[in-house]
Amino acid sequence: MIKHFLDPEISWLSFNRNVLEEAAIPENPLYERIKFIAIFSSNLDEFFRVKFPSILLDKSDKTSALREKILAEVHSQQESLGQNWYQNILPELSENNIHLYSKNDQSLLPLHQQEVERYFKTEVLSYIQIVYLKDDLASPYFLQNRQLYFYISLLSDSDVTSYCYINITSEKLARFRTLSTMNGKQYIIWLDDIIRNCLHLVFRNQRVISCHSIKLNRDEDFEIENEWEGNLAKKILEKVKKRKTGVPTRMLYDATMDQEEIKSLRQTFGLKKDEVLAGGQYHNLFDLFSLPCPDRKKFLNPTIPPILYPPFEGNGSIFDAIEKGNQLLHFPYHSYHYVLQFFNEAAIDVRVKEIKVTLYRISQQSIIANALISAAKNGKKVTVFVEIKARFDEDNNLYWADEMKKAGIKILYSMPDLKVHAKIALISMQTGKTKIKHFAYMSTGNFNEKTATVYADHGFFTADPTYTKDVINVFSFLKNPKVKREVSHLLVAGFNLKQKLLQYIDQEIKNHKNNLPSGITLKVNGLDEKDIIQKLIEASKAGVKIDIICRGICTLRPGIKGLSENIRIYRIVDMFLEHARVYIFHNNGKELVYLSSADLMSRNLNHRIEVAFPMVDEKLCAEIKQILDFQMADNTKMRILDKNGKGVHVKVQSTDNKRAQTDTYHWITQKDRKDEA
């Protein structure tokens, strides 16, 4: 392995460890810490469904060593989670008069046992399915992907031991139930423990010897064998259905199970040794998002009201404000309703003749999709490119594509061997008898009003023809990929994005060698594209200073003498998910500033259609740089990545705590008030 490259899987696990660390920081409100456990669990679950299967199947010595390294790191993280949960989270809940019953509790209070049994008899029991295990079964039993089960050993009156498993019906019933408050204390119980405490009602003629939680992950990654022929949507739906029956990648079991039970578990489900991993007493901890919170003000971060954007306020049309000048919003600090307003106004404005948009991940209750449907019914020509290969959103995207098609919208589907990840929209408005004015919206984030409340992104509105002409050409290409259009202002993956980035890095190298000012600042969610990394290392060796904020996978090792010693890499894990992509090149004082949908990943630069759009307004460039300055100065939530890819907290002696996300919010609030005045 090249010494300046990290394994992407180990890098990703490093990021998830940083997420888990937030759950152990006492300064974070209690339920925020619990939310970080939920995020960690959700991330890890996806890792074993998507990233791990290929590693499990590859039996080469190199991959076997990587697999052992991965499993050791995962085990370490799970140990940290368990320690924090039992030593910190549960005691702190109790200190705040919240008792979450757990398996370790010997018994429920009598009133709560009555409530639990009543609920179990009337609701839970209707979903319980018991599968008794038989030695003579020809093929292994089948567990649903990601579902929760109890593996139970039973003893009959004649002292015969047998096994069975039953489902924990968390997909049908709430994972947590609130019980009666007693002596000022709030009591909550897991659905798992409701069932556990009522097993005597299920097995009336047998004694339960043991009951342990189990869960199976299956391979959910897939490739379409031939995207050029046949019905692509139909092929994708068939593959999505197969996720339920994919090969096992991880069986999680309660670590308190004895060896005989583990042996029985493996035999029952036909699992290999490296597919069976010890876990905690509860699985699918992402359900902790729904843990009842009796006092949101006390236990969660203060809710920050979305900031109003003065140019878009008042009774005037949003298009009038955009026509006056380029407009840049920063989410989730600014209200996302301006993006919704953009589409809603377009849907009813008689001057608007045509709407085009790319949709990658659509909200399940999408206001934008409904606005597009209204626009079509109002007689406007609407074209929507729907990426039906967006992982885990295929069903939802296909649903909305079908709904929009019914309304008369022209739907363009995924392109063979490419994903369209660009976030662009174009509104065409008739302003005279023959004159057409174009308005464009480009973003670093999806057209998704739900994620826009927790993802930190930038959204750009413009009527400048230098942008809109290129956007028109991108949509023309999406309609007819056989004809490659020219773009002069935008950088488009599949056209010129990667090549331009390499040229810009080369220019910084040249400038530094000529004793001219140089420097590169990048902010992305992931960095693994080898040509880009090699060029960044070349720039570092030449003496160019490079700052990178990378939230997730980063396979570039920073700080290696003679190679990457001029590269510093940072990570920010906080209440909002840092999702924006920004590229800045010093360019001898004539800075090039781009916002983009593209991470510096091989998949983004080589296998997707992405759009990076330049910021040319001095004021807007200053805004982006100010936000990045806040992030570079963060001494509360920022980590610095070491040469092994580990995110290490910045240790600062100063009492002046800086936190990028709250500092950004306060700065935008003050800035917009000044602009309004």
Side-chain angles (χ1 to χ4, degrees), residues 23-255:
I25 296 175
E27 289 77 15
N28 287 335
L30 178 57
Y31 270 67
E32 296 293 345
R33 291 159 61 192
I34 293 171
K35 280 169 59 178
F36 277 112
I37 292 175
I39 295 168
F40 167 84
S41 174
S42 178
N43 289 346
L44 192 60
D45 192 77
E46 184 174 332
F47 177 85
F48 277 97
R49 290 182 286 128
V50 176
K51 299 182 186 300
F52 193 67
S54 60
I55 295 168
L56 194 62
L57 293 172
D58 187 342
K59 301 303 181 183
S60 66
D61 291 342
K62 179 181 175 182
T63 304
S64 295
L66 174 61
R67 183 165 58 249
E68 292 302 315
K69 193 175 179 181
I70 287 170
L71 294 178
E73 175 61 21
V74 169
H75 179 74
S76 171
Q77 292 181 15
Q78 289 178 325
E79 289 286 303
S80 296
L81 187 157
Q83 185 177 28
N84 181 36
W85 180 257
Y86 288 105
Q87 295 183 12
N88 299 314
I89 301 294
L90 287 182
E92 196 168 333
L93 283 168
S94 184
E95 288 168 11
N96 285 280
N97 291 317
I98 304 168
H99 184 80
L100 177 61
Y101 278 117
S102 73
K103 179 184 175 183
N104 295 336
D105 288 309
Q106 294 300 310
S107 61
L108 307 185
L109 294 172
L111 175 61
H112 294 153
Q113 182 67 35
Q114 291 175 13
E115 292 176 348
V116 161
E117 289 191 10
R118 189 178 303 115
Y119 176 60
F120 181 81
K121 290 175 182 178
T122 56
E123 295 193 44
V124 179
L125 193 53
S126 64
Y127 295 104
I128 293 295
Q129 299 164 10
I130 311 168
V131 179
Y132 290 97
L133 307 183
K134 300 176 182 178
D135 294 333
D136 59 350
L137 191 72
S139 60
Y141 291 86
F142 183 83
L143 294 181
Q144 295 290 334
N145 187 22
R146 303 179 74 198
Q147 297 299 305
L148 299 174
Y149 298 89
F150 278 139
Y151 195 72
I152 299 170
S153 60
L154 302 166
L155 188 66
S156 69
D157 291 339
S158 56
D159 290 335
V160 175
T161 300
S162 60
Y163 293 98
C164 72
Y165 63 90
I166 66 173
N167 56 325
I168 301 173
T169 54
S170 59
E171 77 282 7
K172 301 289 186 180
L173 300 170
R175 189 74 187 277
F176 300 97
R177 187 168 180 82
T178 301
L179 304 174
S180 293
T181 300
M182 298 186 68
N183 299 320
K185 196 159 200 167
Q186 176 73 69
Y187 287 84
I188 303 168
I189 189 168
W190 296 78
L191 174 62
D192 315 41
D193 290 321
I194 290 174
I195 298 172
R196 209 189 300 267
N197 278 276
C198 293
L199 288 177
H200 63 283
L201 300 174
V202 178
F203 304 104
R204 294 180 183 272
N205 300 316
Q206 296 164 293
R207 183 161 65 88
V208 176
I209 301 173
S210 66
C211 172
H212 295 99
S213 301
I214 60 171
K215 167 194 161 180
L216 187 68
N217 282 125
R218 296 183 179 276
D219 182 359
E220 293 192 33
D221 198 16
F222 66 78
E223 292 183 3
I224 305 298
E225 286 76 15
N226 183 352
E227 296 186 15
W228 297 90
E229 297 179 3
N231 187 317
L232 182 58
K234 185 177 179 181
K235 287 183 177 181
I236 288 172
L237 278 176
E238 289 173 355
K239 289 290 186 179
V240 169
K241 289 178 183 176
K242 287 184 178 179
R243 281 182 176 151
K244 298 177 182 179
T245 58
V247 297
T249 60
R250 177 181 67 156
M251 164 70 85
L252 269 180
Y253 65 88
D254 185 334

Side-chain angles (χ1 to χ4, degrees), residues 346-359:
I348 62 170
D349 193 319
V350 294
R351 299 172 298 169
V352 171
K353 301 304 177 185
E354 188 170 5
I355 303 172
K356 295 178 181 178
V357 63
T358 59
L359 297 179

Side-chain angles (χ1 to χ4, degrees), residues 14 16-25 28 36 84 639 646-649:
S14 165
N16 212 32
R17 179 177 283 278
N18 290 156
V19 172
L20 184 60
E21 288 169 353
E22 289 295 313
I25 296 175
N28 287 335
F36 277 112
N84 181 36
R639 277 90 169 167
K646 182 180 178 182
V648 181
H649 253 125

Side-chain angles (χ1 to χ4, degrees), residues 392-534:
F392 302 130
D393 281 279
E394 300 98 339
D395 276 338
N396 188 56
N397 287 5
L398 281 166
Y399 165 78
W400 277 114
D402 188 53
E403 290 297 300
M404 289 187 284
K405 188 184 290 186
K406 289 176 186 175
I409 294 175
K410 181 176 178 58
I411 299 295
L412 304 176
Y413 286 116
S414 298
M415 302 171 69
D417 295 336
L418 281 174
K419 283 186 180 180
V420 176
H421 192 248
K423 293 87 169 60
I424 56 174
L426 185 74
I427 309 292
S428 299
M429 179 186 291
Q430 188 169 338
T431 56
K433 283 189 176 181
T434 57
K435 189 176 180 182
I436 298 293
K437 182 79 175 178
H438 300 289
F439 298 83
Y441 174 76
M442 292 172 276
S443 179
T444 65
N446 295 306
F447 288 101
N448 188 313
E449 55 268 31
K450 183 178 179 181
T451 59
T453 62
V454 290
Y455 283 25
D457 275 303
H458 306 290
F460 177 63
F461 298 87
T462 184
D464 185 337
T466 56
Y467 291 99
T468 58
K469 284 179 182 177
D470 279 359
V471 174
I472 290 169
N473 284 337
V474 173
F475 276 111
S476 295
F477 171 75
L478 296 179
K479 187 177 180 180
N480 183 8
K482 294 180 180 179
V483 181
K484 187 75 68 83
R485 268 69 177 185
E486 291 296 322
V487 289
S488 57
H489 206 54
L490 304 181
L491 305 184
V492 182
F495 289 59
N496 61 352
L497 176 54
K498 179 179 172 181
Q499 296 87 337
K500 281 289 187 180
L501 291 177
L502 293 171
Q503 287 175 25
Y504 291 155
I505 300 170
D506 272 331
Q507 188 59 52
E508 297 304 313
I509 296 171
K510 182 178 178 181
N511 287 345
H512 190 81
K513 288 180 177 178
N514 290 331
N515 296 316
L516 297 173
S518 65
I520 300 170
T521 301
L522 304 170
K523 181 183 177 185
V524 289
N525 297 295
L527 170 60
D528 75 355
E529 213 288 330
K530 292 189 176 181
D531 292 334
I532 296 291
I533 290 176
Q534 293 284 17

Side-chain angles (χ1 to χ4, degrees), residues 454-666:
V454 290
Y455 283 25
D457 275 303
H458 306 290
F460 177 63
F461 298 87
T462 184
D464 185 337
T466 56
Y467 291 99
T468 58
K469 284 179 182 177
D470 279 359
V471 174
I472 290 169
N473 284 337
V474 173
F475 276 111
S476 295
F477 171 75
L478 296 179
K479 187 177 180 180
N480 183 8
K482 294 180 180 179
V483 181
K484 187 75 68 83
R485 268 69 177 185
E486 291 296 322
V487 289
S488 57
H489 206 54
L490 304 181
L491 305 184
V492 182
F495 289 59
N496 61 352
L497 176 54
K498 179 179 172 181
Q499 296 87 337
K500 281 289 187 180
L501 291 177
L502 293 171
Q503 287 175 25
Y504 291 155
I505 300 170
D506 272 331
Q507 188 59 52
E508 297 304 313
I509 296 171
K510 182 178 178 181
N511 287 345
H512 190 81
K513 288 180 177 178
N514 290 331
N515 296 316
L516 297 173
S518 65
I520 300 170
T521 301
L522 304 170
K523 181 183 177 185
V524 289
N525 297 295
L527 170 60
D528 75 355
E529 213 288 330
K530 292 189 176 181
D531 292 334
I532 296 291
I533 290 176
Q534 293 284 17
K535 188 61 69 174
L536 289 171
I537 288 173
E538 184 182 337
S540 171
K541 290 167 70 175
V544 178
K545 299 294 183 184
I546 302 168
D547 288 315
I548 302 172
I549 300 173
C550 184
R551 174 176 56 85
I553 290 174
C554 182
T555 60
L556 167 57
R557 293 179 184 265
I560 298 176
K561 190 172 180 59
L563 279 174
S564 57
E565 60 189 301
N566 288 308
I567 300 176
R568 293 176 296 180
I569 304 178
Y570 310 93
R571 173 181 292 145
I572 294 173
V573 179
D574 202 349
M575 54 187 168
F576 303 132
L577 184 138
E578 291 293 339
H579 191 253
R581 293 89 165 184
V582 184
Y583 321 141
I584 300 179
F585 302 92
H586 192 282
N587 196 36
N588 190 25
K590 298 177 181 178
E591 284 186 322
L592 300 172
V593 179
Y594 285 88
L595 301 179
S596 178
S597 63
D599 292 311
L600 300 181
M601 304 280 283
S602 178
R603 66 187 186 193
N604 297 88
L605 299 184
N606 302 317
H607 305 289
R608 291 185 176 182
I609 299 299
E610 307 270 9
V611 170
F613 44 101
M615 293 290 99
V616 295
D617 303 66
E618 188 175 325
K619 177 177 175 289
L620 302 187
C621 288
E623 288 184 19
I624 294 164
K625 290 168 62 180
Q626 178 61 73
I627 292 172
L628 290 178
D629 285 346
F630 285 134
Q631 293 170 358
M632 298 292 188
D634 191 314
N635 58 21
T636 305
K637 297 298 179 183
M638 183 177 76
R639 277 90 169 167
I640 297 178
L641 270 61
D642 64 18
K643 63 182 180 181
N644 295 314
K646 182 180 178 182
V648 181
H649 253 125
V650 182
K651 293 184 179 179
V652 179
Q653 303 299 324
S654 170
T655 56
D656 182 18
N657 291 331
K658 298 182 183 300
R659 186 173 176 181
Q661 292 186 352
T662 53
D663 291 347
T664 299
Y665 177 79
H666 295 312

